[in-house]
């Protein structure tokens, strides 16, 4: 399965970034073969609508599932119709993307069926 | 002439000055008051207009015709606010991110986008007993953007009110003769009568809603109080006026509280102080109960007429 | 960690004076070293005038983008002006010019320009600050006059305050909110545990307090009301109290009109520190106790 993990660096050993829309980067990893690439998040500098932009970006990368720490309503509403599953990884435990991948493979990550927080209301004037 | 009454800091007496100035001016001239503080509009509480005209306003949101849409993604690409996402065979619109700019509608190669009005608030208008032509905007609770409502308010001029103010009607008539294609609403847009007075009560702060209120105005009347907060926020708004090239005059309200830093600043920066209103508990009490200053203290009527005269002379100079 | 936001609806009711007093009172008791302060009124940021903090860090705040026309390649066709819904493009002396203050940053003109002469340029819209005040760390900002995106700057100020509070296990973030009910207010209340509305017993104050309350309730937040300058118009104070009773909102005290509040502001002090036995100080201390109790007891 093609998995996106939100990260703060540019490799599989980079630490997990619990934000989705404002994550520094994304690690795209094939959970069967272990092949991975990293991609800077184009939404990082967006003045608003970061969740929508990041969600479209990972959909274009061909992700089937995403692991992050939280999903806002716009990110959720974009990922969901794209058929991308959303998983939550624990925050504040200094995990790396590799750790998150291991947790995912072991079936230890919880799936979310709703946005985890309200919007940030930062997009407008 | 269009006069904006603003302050930066809230609660310094903008509405007090705007309403009293309007009442004093209405003795001799056609006066129109616009309450542009659409988040917290209070001028009507003092002027008691008969609000019999109403119009819903907002921005235009895109509506996708899924039958025509080819999901090419052009609309999402041009949207600076990421209010549109194209995911597979779906085009999603996020209304709370949309600014209503219409760029998506223009670029859609299939003409699959139409627009609908997203109501953000209402405009209300009517005459007061003393003959002031009053209009205000009222933003709906939970809406984030005040600017589109202010923009519409400035352009609005319902027909029945125009008839009531002869000079306004005359002005529009002239405009229409020069361009028969112009409709009534746009003809009156931003066209306060050259002979009449338009007074705009601004919102507090110094960001875009204040700027929108000030755009197209001829004179900025800054109401402040002689305190560090009053001064700090006065500087912010004065700098916008400089940028927009609008003449400025200052009214110091609650004179006597605080310190003299505001006066010093005004002197150093060439901002004329046109009026001072002392801190008197009876004023505060009267205004709290919904009275205008000129009604609570009639001795201020001539002072406000003189203020208007002063502004007119400065504007003409 | 709890987040308290102080609002008013109408401006000038005394939000910042109350916030500064709360910061002082919090530093006096069990919460010393446990509080973070945030000034969310970024277009009239006044809390620092009272707290006079030592600036530790500042950074530019990038707001939206604005369109810029390259006059060398512009063919003066006027298409940009026709599509602009923000009246931001003016025709002056034979040239189309963009008014950066009016420009909304939508880029509609960029895509319609046949000669590709328009591009978007990022703007520095303000400054973000982190300071140390005598009552604890303070996050604040200054939105440059006339700029937009104040909601985003408010969000930034609050996020940074919240992160430090979580990192250092602090118990309370006190947020001085903006007036009104729009975007910056929505940003200021989002994520708060309690909103204290400082109301003024004037016809205008009562009107605006109701709108602020509706906004807070619209976003599902718990609210309390205190009445400042309560004796200016006792009928107004009673109206506020009976309105709150009817809507199930707790009122947590009346603060009398007191010139000491202005004197403290001029002196750059919290009124409760400036003159602890002044009538306003005593009343604010009582309000603080009730707010604190409600905030820390209720899970």
């Amino acid at each position: 399965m093609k998995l996106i993990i939100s990260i703060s660096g540019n490799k599989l050993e980079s630490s997990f970034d619990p934000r989705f829309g404002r994550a520094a980067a994304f690690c795209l990893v094939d959970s069967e073969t272990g092949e991975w690439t990293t991609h800077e998040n184009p939404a990082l500098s967006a003045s608003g609508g970061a969740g929508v932009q990041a969600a479209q970006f990972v959909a274009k990368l061909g992700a089937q599932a995403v692991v992050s720490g939280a999903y806002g309503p716009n990110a959720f509403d974009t990922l969901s119709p794209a058929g991308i599953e959303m998983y939550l990884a624990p925050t504040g435990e200094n995990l790396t993307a590799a750790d998150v991948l291991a947790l995912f493979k072991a079936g230890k990550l919880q799936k979310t069926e709703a946005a985890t927080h309200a919007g940030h209301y930062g997009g407008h004037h | 002439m269009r006069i904006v009454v603003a302050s930066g800091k809230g609660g310094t007496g903008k509405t007090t000055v705007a309403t009293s100035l309007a009442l004093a001016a209405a003795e001799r001239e056609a006066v129109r008051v616009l309450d542009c503080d659409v988040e917290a509009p209070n001028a009507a509480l003092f002027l008691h207009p008969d609000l019999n005209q109403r119009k819903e306003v907002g921005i235009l949101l895109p509506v996708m015709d899924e039958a025509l849409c080819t999901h090419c993604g052009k609309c999402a690409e041009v949207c600076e606010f990421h209010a549109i996402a194209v995911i597979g065979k779906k085009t999603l619109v996020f209304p709370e991110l949309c600014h209503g700019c219409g760029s998506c509608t223009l670029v859609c190669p299939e003409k699959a986008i139409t627009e609908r009005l997203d109501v953000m608030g209402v405009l209300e208008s009517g005459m007061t007993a003393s003959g002031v032509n009053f209009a205000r905007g009222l933003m709906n609770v939970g809406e984030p953007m005040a600017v589109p409502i202010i923009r519409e308010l400035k352009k609005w001029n319902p027909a029945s009110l125009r008839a009531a103010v002869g000079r306004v009607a005359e002005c529009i008539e002239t405009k229409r003769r020069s361009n028969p294609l112009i409709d009534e609403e746009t003809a009156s847009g931003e066209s306060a009568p050259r002979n009449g007075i338009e007074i705009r009560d601004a919102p507090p702060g110094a960001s875009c809603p204040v700027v929108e209120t000030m755009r197209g105005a001829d004179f900025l009347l800054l109401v402040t109080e002689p305190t560090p907060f009053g001064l700090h926020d006065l500087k912010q708004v004065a700098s916008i006026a400089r940028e927009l090239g609008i003449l400025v005059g200052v009214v110091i309200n609650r004179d006597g509280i605080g310190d003299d830093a505001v006066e010093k600043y005004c002197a150093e920066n060439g901002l004329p102080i046109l009026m001072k209103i002392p801190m008197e508990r009876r004023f505060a009490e009267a205004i709290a109960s919904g009275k205008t200053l000129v009604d609570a203290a009639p001795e201020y009527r001539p002072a406000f007429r003189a203020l208007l005269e002063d502004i007119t002379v400065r504007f003409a100079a | 960690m709890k987040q308290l936001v102080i609002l008013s609806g109408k401006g000038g009711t005394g939000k910042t004076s109350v916030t500064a007093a709360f910061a002082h009172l919090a530093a006096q008791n069990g919460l010393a070293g446990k509080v973070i302060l945030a000034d969310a009124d970024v277009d009239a940021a006044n809390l620092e005038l009272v707290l006079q903090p030592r600036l530790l860090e500042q950074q530019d705040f990038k707001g939206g983008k604005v369109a810029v026309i390259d006059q060398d390649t512009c063919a003066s066709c006027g298409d940009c002006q026709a599509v602009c819904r923000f009246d931001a493009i003016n025709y002056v002396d034979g040239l189309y010019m963009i008014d950066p203050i009016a420009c909304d940053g939508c880029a509609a003109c960029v895509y319609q320009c046949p000669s590709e002469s328009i591009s978007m340029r990022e703007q520095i819209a303000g400054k973000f600050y982190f300071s140390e005040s005598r009552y604890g760390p303070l996050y604040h900002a200054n939105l440059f006059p006339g700029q937009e995106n104040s909601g985003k700057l408010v969000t930034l100020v609050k996020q940074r305050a919240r992160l430090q509070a979580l990192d250092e296990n602090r118990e309370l973030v006190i947020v001085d909110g903006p007036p009104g009910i729009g975007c910056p207010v929505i940003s200021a209340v989002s994520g708060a545990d309690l909103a204290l509305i400082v109301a003024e017993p004037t016809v205008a104050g009562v009107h605006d307090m109701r709108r602020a309350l509706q906004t807070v309730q619209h976003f599902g937040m718990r609210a309390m009301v205190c009445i400042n300058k309560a004796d200016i118009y006792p009928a107004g104070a009673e109206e506020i109290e009976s309105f709150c009773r009817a809507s199930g909102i707790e009122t947590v005290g009346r603060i009398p009109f007191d010139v000491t509040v202005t004197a403290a502001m001029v002196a750059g002090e919290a009124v409760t520190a400036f003159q602890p036995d002044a009538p306003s100080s005593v009343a604010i201390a009582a309000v603080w106790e009730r707010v604190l109790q409600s905030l820390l007891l209720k899970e």
Side-chain angles (χ1 to χ4, degrees):
Chain A
M1 180 182 254
K2 279 181 140 184
L3 189 67
I4 281 281
I5 302 170
S6 54
I7 55 170
S8 58
N10 57 7
K11 43 186 192 291
L12 195 60
E13 287 71 38
S14 297
S15 41
F16 170 63
D17 190 332
R19 300 167 304 173
F20 177 69
R22 301 279 178 195
F26 296 110
C27 179
L28 177 69
V29 55
D30 186 319
S31 60
E32 278 93 50
T33 65
E35 270 178 75
W36 60 270
T37 49
T38 63
H39 308 264
E40 274 182 33
N41 177 10
L44 192 56
S45 61
S47 75
V52 177
Q53 200 187 1
Q56 282 193 98
F57 180 68
V58 303
K60 273 194 195 129
L61 288 175
Q64 294 161 293
V66 177
V67 187
S68 190
Y71 302 90
N74 292 340
F76 183 85
D77 289 347
T78 310
L79 290 170
S80 187
I84 298 171
E85 296 176 342
M86 285 162 266
Y87 289 89
L88 293 167
T91 58
E93 290 184 17
N94 292 325
L95 297 175
T96 64
D99 298 335
V100 171
L101 178 63
L103 287 171
F104 176 80
K105 281 189 180 166
K108 292 204 170 142
L109 295 181
Q110 215 190 336
K111 207 155 122 182
T112 179
E113 303 294 348
T116 55
H117 61 87
H120 292 303
Y121 301 104
H124 22 66
H125 301 206
Chain B
M1 183 171 57
R2 303 184 193 89
I3 303 168
V4 171
V5 184
S7 69
K9 174 167 161 41
T12 59
K14 275 183 303 293
T15 305
T16 299
V17 168
T19 53
S20 285
L21 184 62
L23 291 176
E27 292 170 13
R28 292 174 191 179
E29 307 216 39
V31 175
R32 176 171 159 79
V33 170
L34 299 183
D35 192 342
C36 296
D37 187 0
V38 302
E39 296 181 43
N42 293 329
L45 300 170
F46 296 91
L47 293 175
H48 307 289
D50 172 22
L51 295 172
N52 54 17
Q53 302 275 325
R54 204 167 178 279
K55 182 186 176 188
E56 288 188 324
V57 291
I59 59 170
L60 294 172
L61 293 185
V63 180
M64 309 300 172
D65 184 339
E66 284 292 340
L68 296 176
C69 179
T70 59
H71 310 99
C72 69
K74 269 229 148 63
C75 52
E77 205 177 288
V78 303
C79 182
E80 283 284 313
F81 311 107
H82 310 296
I84 304 179
V86 178
I87 293 284
K89 293 280 163 227
K90 287 199 185 77
T91 303
L92 308 169
V93 177
F94 294 87
E96 75 277 21
L97 296 172
C98 179
H99 286 216
C101 71
S103 194
C104 51
T105 313
L106 289 170
V107 300
C108 178
E110 310 301 327
K111 307 238 174 301
I113 306 180
T114 51
E115 296 182 317
R116 70 173 170 89
L117 180 71
D118 177 41
V119 175
M120 302 165 89
V122 294
L123 306 183
E124 295 174 328
S125 178
M127 299 297 292
T128 74
S130 44
V132 172
N133 171 348
F134 179 90
R136 71 167 179 185
L138 190 65
M139 185 167 96
N140 291 345
V141 163
E143 285 292 340
M145 288 192 272
V147 171
I149 301 170
I150 300 170
R151 199 183 294 130
E152 293 294 324
L153 175 63
K154 284 162 62 188
K155 289 180 186 163
W156 193 47
N157 205 348
S160 67
L161 284 172
R162 279 205 310 277
V165 184
R167 277 183 250 201
V168 182
E170 216 173 278
C171 162
I172 289 157
E173 206 35 60
T174 325
K175 226 181 167 182
R176 280 174 101 184
R177 242 177 280 135
S178 61
N179 182 359
L181 291 177
I182 240 164
D183 68 19
E184 296 204 359
E185 297 254 321
T186 40
S188 57
E190 299 246 10
S191 69
R194 276 288 145 203
N195 308 328
I197 305 281
E198 178 177 291
I199 297 171
R200 299 179 188 163
D201 192 0
S207 61
C208 33
V210 179
V211 176
E212 185 56 43
T213 305
M214 285 166 62
R215 287 182 71 211
D218 302 305
F219 196 93
L220 170 66
L221 195 57
L222 269 170
V223 182
T224 189
E225 59 176 39
T227 65
F229 290 6
L231 174 61
H232 176 269
D233 302 347
L234 165 90
K235 289 180 188 168
Q236 304 263 98
V237 184
S239 75
I240 301 176
R242 258 198 302 279
E243 206 167 321
L244 293 177
I246 301 176
L247 287 172
V248 181
V250 176
V251 173
I252 296 182
N253 191 18
R254 302 196 190 101
D255 190 32
I257 65 166
D259 55 18
D260 61 358
V262 168
E263 283 195 55
K264 275 192 183 146
Y265 175 82
C266 290
E268 283 162 14
N269 291 275
L271 299 176
I273 294 170
L274 306 183
M275 188 185 215
K276 288 184 187 177
I277 304 168
M279 173 63 210
E280 283 193 36
R281 201 179 163 106
R282 68 185 172 108
F283 294 168
E285 287 169 358
I287 290 159
S289 70
K291 287 202 181 76
T292 59
L293 181 59
V294 289
D295 283 336
E299 67 271 24
Y300 271 88
R301 263 185 195 270
F304 275 99
R305 275 200 301 270
L307 173 64
L308 182 64
E309 195 56 36
D310 196 351
I311 292 171
T312 311
V313 169
R314 285 170 190 275
F315 175 56
Chain C
M1 196 267 295
K2 298 285 181 187
Q3 223 179 90
L4 169 69
V5 60
I6 295 151
L7 298 176
S8 69
K10 182 175 174 334
T13 65
K15 272 184 311 290
T16 303
S17 293
V18 168
T19 307
F22 280 7
H24 163 248
L25 294 166
Q28 302 313 299
N29 62 22
L31 283 175
K34 293 278 178 198
V35 175
I36 305 262
L37 306 167
D39 188 349
D41 189 1
V42 296
D43 50 310
N46 290 336
L47 193 55
E48 61 163 319
L49 300 178
V50 183
L51 299 179
Q52 303 189 342
R54 193 164 54 90
L55 184 66
L56 298 180
E57 181 196 327
Q58 62 169 316
Q59 67 191 54
D60 287 340
F61 168 68
K62 291 193 187 102
K65 294 175 188 166
V66 293
V68 181
I69 298 178
D70 177 359
Q71 298 296 352
D72 291 341
T73 58
C74 173
S76 293
C77 68
D79 283 5
C80 51
Q81 192 181 38
V83 300
C84 180
R85 292 188 179 174
F86 305 97
D87 304 330
I89 303 179
N90 302 312
Y91 188 61
V92 189
D93 299 333
L95 294 177
Y96 284 94
M97 313 274 271
I98 291 176
D99 173 355
I101 293 185
C103 178
D104 189 67
C106 72
C109 55
V110 172
Y111 295 100
Q112 298 306 318
C113 175
S115 55
E116 299 186 1
S117 301
I118 312 180
S119 56
M120 300 302 289
R121 195 169 294 164
E122 208 162 53
Q123 275 198 315
I124 305 294
K127 292 263 186 201
F128 166 86
Y129 305 109
F130 172 52
S131 303
E132 185 62 44
S133 83
R134 64 197 108 139
Y135 305 132
L138 169 68
Y139 289 89
H140 50 135
N142 175 19
L143 189 73
F144 293 157
Q147 289 292 339
E148 57 183 71
N149 253 323
S150 53
K152 189 187 169 198
L153 187 52
V154 168
T155 302
L156 177 69
V157 165
K158 282 188 39 181
Q159 257 172 4
R160 290 285 304 269
R162 205 184 122 78
L163 284 178
Q164 188 182 355
L166 288 173
D167 272 359
E168 299 176 357
N169 259 324
R170 300 213 180 210
E171 278 180 46
L172 184 61
V173 176
I174 303 178
V175 182
D176 187 9
I181 62 168
C183 176
V185 174
I186 297 170
S187 300
V189 300
S190 98
D193 296 280
L194 176 67
L196 174 70
I197 298 179
V198 180
E200 195 183 83
T202 63
V203 289
V206 175
H207 175 262
D208 299 345
M209 173 211 70
R210 287 187 187 183
R211 287 176 53 85
L213 257 180
Q214 285 167 4
T215 306
V216 169
Q217 287 169 333
H218 181 91
F219 292 98
M221 207 75 55
R222 203 156 64 88
M224 286 179 154
V225 170
C226 74
I227 306 172
N228 194 17
K229 308 173 202 168
D231 51 335
I232 281 278
Y233 184 51
E238 269 143 40
E239 193 187 335
I240 292 172
E241 282 167 359
S242 67
F243 172 82
C244 288
R245 249 196 316 278
S247 358
I249 303 288
E250 197 180 343
T251 46
V252 289
R254 291 182 174 197
I255 303 163
F257 177 79
D258 184 352
V259 289
T260 319
V261 175
T262 311
M265 191 201 289
V266 171
E269 279 265 26
V271 65
T272 45
F274 181 72
Q275 205 176 304
D277 55 353
S280 54
S281 297
V282 173
I284 293 174
V287 170
W288 168 243
E289 283 307 318
R290 291 184 67 175
V291 168
L292 199 59
Q293 226 174 17
S294 162
L295 195 60
L296 298 184
L297 286 182
K298 208 138 184 179
E299 279 309 313

